[in-house]
Amino acid sequence: MYSKQLLHWILESGEDDEIQLADIYYFVQEDEEPEEDLAERTIEVTVQLTKDGVIIPGDMVDYEFTPWTVDSDTAERRIREGAHHALREAGRFLPGDVCWFRTHNYEG
């Protein structure tokens, strides 16, 4: 699960712009104990936020957000696989890794 504070930060950040896995990592880092595996926790939080409909995964195509048109199981698999690939390649999450996310309260 995730805290109300973490949810607030994500919703606030996503009001006017898409967010990225690197953003979610930052929020998790601010919200969690430093001893926890923050990368894995970020993946779990991201998957849960997606399942809960708080964030919508998608790609940026010609500077426009395009939501994924896959079922929730496929979205979860893509997020997990993409995040682990990013960690293997760079050791951290970089801007644009895996996909972009739009919050359900986006007003951009």
Side-chain angles (χ1 to χ4, degrees):
M1 211 56 194
Y2 43 84
S3 72
K4 288 181 182 180
Q5 180 63 55
L6 180 64
L7 178 61
H8 170 76
W9 288 333
I10 288 172
L11 290 174
E12 184 177 62
S13 179
E15 282 181 0
D16 300 316
D17 203 1
E18 287 77 25
I19 60 174
Q20 305 168 54
L21 200 55
D23 299 321
I24 298 171
Y25 178 87
Y26 172 77
F27 296 135
V28 169
Q29 183 178 24
E30 291 297 307
D31 193 55
E32 299 286 332
E33 294 296 321
E35 300 85 34
E36 187 167 350
D37 184 343
L38 294 175
E40 284 301 320
R41 178 74 180 132
T42 298
I43 295 167
E44 294 307 315
V45 165
T46 301
V47 166
Q48 191 62 53
L49 288 165
T50 301
K51 285 181 177 182
D52 292 348
V54 174
I55 58 176
I56 302 157
D59 297 308
M60 294 301 280
V61 179
D62 296 328
Y63 303 103
E64 293 289 326
F65 180 79
T66 305
W68 287 351
T69 56
V70 298
D71 62 54
S72 63
D73 290 339
T74 302
E76 178 180 346
R77 183 179 45 74
R78 286 173 67 177
I79 290 167
R80 288 182 188 283
E81 288 175 0
H84 286 118
H85 175 77
L87 290 171
R88 281 191 307 276
E89 292 295 312
R92 61 191 173 112
F93 300 121
L94 299 172
D97 277 346
V98 184
C99 63
W100 294 77
F101 298 95
R102 183 169 277 181
T103 60
H104 69 77
N105 66 330
Y106 176 80
E107 297 178 8

